[in-house]
Amino acid sequence: MFFRYLRKNFLFWPIFFYGLMFNIAFAQDTVLSIDSFVPHVSTVPANQNQIVGLHLRERVLESTKKAIENGSKPEIILFIHGGFSPSTVAYDLNYKDFSWMENLAKEGFDTFALTMTAYGSSPRPYMDDPCNVDPKQQAILIPHILKAPCAPHYPFKLVSSQTEWDEVEAAVKHILKIRGVDKINLVGWSTGTPRIGGFAAKHPEMVKRIVFLAPAPFFDQDKPPTVFPEPGSPILLQTRERLEGERWMADVKCSDQIDDKDIRDVMWRELMLVEGAGANWIPGGVMRAPNRMNYGWRENVSKIKSPTLILLGEFDNFEARQDAWKALKVEKKAFLKIACGSHYLQYERQRPVVFKATKEWFMHGTINGKESGYYSADSVGSIK
């Protein structure tokens, strides 16, 4: 009867369909983006004992957020970034379907991403001074922000494995407290893997499950430096040419490996938006990262007690990056080799495999329905 009324009263149609579309839009469950800062007493020598704020982003469905406020306790994931890209770009790229965090938030997870000291919106002590760039890389800045080489005004490496474990611990404890839970799931990419791996080895009581994407090869040393901080310089640089030419495109070997022609421009644009000073140091900008005192990765992997999934692209320095898999002693561990994948899998055509595998691991503790094992995803994403 109602639709017969519409047919006779066609002038009412625009009002009807406007109201219908409004109700559909209103019913959509929005993925919220919430930025905050984790208070932390810094252990970084350059700002030691200062209270700092570490940037934390949360992506969560509005309905999940409301359920949390009413006492629900969804699975929580904390993402920790790698050596150059801050977490907001590494895991939450604001472009099409490329946000790993948003993908998992839509599945009901409460996702967080921490940006460490010396990246993005987190503290960057001594990093706005171009003289503090590694002397071997200062030529990149000449004749732009520098007219000639100069000695570092802070002549030390900036952060260490321990200072980064301390920051992960601060973030984990903060999230556990505000969510009223005992354990958290962790994701690390590249250099993010020794960051979360070291924390997980030292605090297994706080860690439920782990995903390593492209785990870092083992460091040269397992012990802290005898002199701390180590002499050196605080800043390392990465140009767009090195990022794309040496670190990414050299490992693009399948014709359809990159399925979006604009992704490289988008990623660099987003990196420069959060870069700060480096965006203006040379034409087109340059990425800054801390010079680190790395140690303990090999030793810590063997101490991990939480179920661990490793994801690795077939073209991503494959043999060296299997070190962590070989050293893991935890009973529940799984490895997924992903065809047509480089170090930048989350920006490539096979990203749905990464998202799907992560979802299954954190939701059920399985990959392809199994708690342990070595698996392969073919070029169309089928796992066996």
Side-chain angles (χ1 to χ4, degrees):
M1 180 178 294
F2 178 67
F3 286 98
R4 285 202 299 271
Y5 174 83
L6 285 180
R7 285 197 298 271
K8 292 180 180 179
N9 298 272
F10 63 89
L11 293 176
F12 182 74
W13 288 8
I15 299 173
F16 169 74
F17 284 110
Y18 175 81
L20 179 63
M21 295 307 296
F22 176 83
N23 286 329
I24 291 173
F26 185 77
Q28 288 179 344
D29 201 353
T30 303
V31 179
L32 303 175
S33 182
I34 304 165
D35 290 305
S36 62
F37 290 87
V38 176
H40 174 57
V41 178
S42 179
T43 56
V44 173
N47 59 2
Q48 192 162 13
N49 296 325
Q50 294 181 22
I51 298 176
V52 299
L54 303 172
H55 183 237
L56 187 70
R57 173 164 294 175
E58 180 184 11
R59 300 301 307 278
V60 61
L61 278 173
E62 188 173 12
S63 61
T64 304
K65 188 74 169 176
K66 290 178 179 178
I68 291 169
E69 293 168 357
N70 291 323
S72 176
K73 298 186 186 303
E75 289 288 340
I76 299 170
I77 304 171
L78 174 62
F79 291 80
I80 302 292
H81 61 85
F84 274 94
S85 177
S87 282
T88 52
V89 180
Y91 301 118
D92 193 29
L93 188 67
N94 184 24
Y95 182 63
K96 296 183 179 178
D97 65 340
F98 284 81
S99 170
W100 193 348
M101 292 178 70
E102 183 176 278
N103 183 279
L104 292 178
K106 288 178 178 178
E107 300 293 339
F109 293 97
D110 191 7
T111 70
F112 294 85
L114 179 71
T115 292
M116 316 287 288
T117 286
Y119 301 89
S121 298
S122 289
R124 290 185 161 188
Y126 296 103
M127 292 193 70
D128 288 346
D129 181 352
C131 285
N132 284 331
V133 170
D134 186 328
K136 296 178 182 178
Q137 294 188 311
Q138 287 189 12
I140 296 170
L141 306 179
I142 300 171
H144 309 291
I145 195 70
L146 286 180
K147 300 305 179 184
C150 49
H153 295 137
Y154 179 80
F156 303 99
K157 295 181 180 179
L158 190 63
V159 301
S160 74
S161 293
Q162 184 61 59
T163 67
E164 294 189 320
W165 299 331
D166 293 341
E167 293 182 4
V168 175
E169 180 178 353
V172 169
K173 287 183 174 179
H174 173 78
I175 295 167
L176 295 182
K177 182 178 180 180
I178 65 175
R179 289 292 172 263
V181 296
D182 298 323
K183 291 194 174 187
I184 197 168
N185 300 292
L186 297 173
V187 174
W189 171 39
S190 192
T191 303
T193 59
R195 288 168 173 160
I196 67 169
F199 170 79
K202 297 174 186 302
H203 298 283
E205 74 282 0
M206 300 185 203
V207 182
K208 187 172 182 181
R209 298 189 183 101
I210 296 170
V211 169
F212 289 150
L213 172 62
F218 288 148
F219 303 142
D220 292 336
Q221 59 189 49
D222 268 334
K223 302 301 179 184
T226 55
V227 177
F228 189 86
E230 281 186 316
S233 53
I235 308 172
L236 299 176
L237 299 179
Q238 179 169 249
T239 62
R240 181 172 182 175
E241 289 73 21
R242 180 169 185 267
L243 165 64
E244 294 184 7
E246 297 178 30
R247 303 194 66 205
W248 191 358
M249 294 302 107
D251 293 328
V252 173
K253 301 178 181 180
C254 295
S255 60
D256 57 350
Q257 191 167 328
I258 296 177
D259 62 332
D260 190 298
K261 63 181 178 61
D262 297 322
I263 186 58
R264 288 180 288 174
D265 290 336
V266 170
M267 185 178 72
W268 189 258
R269 183 190 69 218
E270 293 298 311
L271 286 168
M272 290 300 100
L273 284 174
V274 296
E275 165 50 39
N280 301 310
W281 278 0
I282 65 172
V286 65
M287 299 169 68
R288 294 170 296 161
N291 203 351
R292 302 185 301 271
M293 296 166 270
N294 291 322
Y295 51 88
W297 182 209
R298 184 193 308 269
E299 179 181 354
N300 288 329
V301 170
S302 65
K303 296 179 180 179
I304 290 173
K305 296 180 180 179
S306 305
T308 301
L309 169 65
I310 293 178
L311 308 173
L312 184 59
E314 69 167 322
F315 303 135
D316 184 13
N317 193 14
F318 194 82
E319 293 305 318
R321 293 190 185 277
Q322 289 190 95
D323 286 346
W325 168 250
K326 296 172 183 176
L328 273 173
K329 295 181 180 178
V330 64
E331 180 182 354
K332 295 180 180 179
K333 64 174 187 175
F335 187 101
L336 180 59
K337 177 181 180 180
I338 302 175
C340 291
S342 76
H343 195 61
Y344 296 86
L345 265 167
Q346 67 268 49
Y347 305 125
E348 298 178 350
R349 182 178 55 80
Q350 289 279 55
R351 62 190 175 279
V353 178
V354 173
F355 301 163
K356 180 180 177 182
T358 307
K359 170 190 169 182
E360 182 182 345
W361 190 252
F362 288 148
M363 193 169 285
H364 304 295
T366 61
I367 180 71
N368 213 29
K370 303 292 193 311
E371 291 183 337
S372 300
Y374 192 105
Y375 304 92
S376 296
D378 64 21
S379 60
V380 295
S382 179
I383 299 174
K384 57 183 178 179

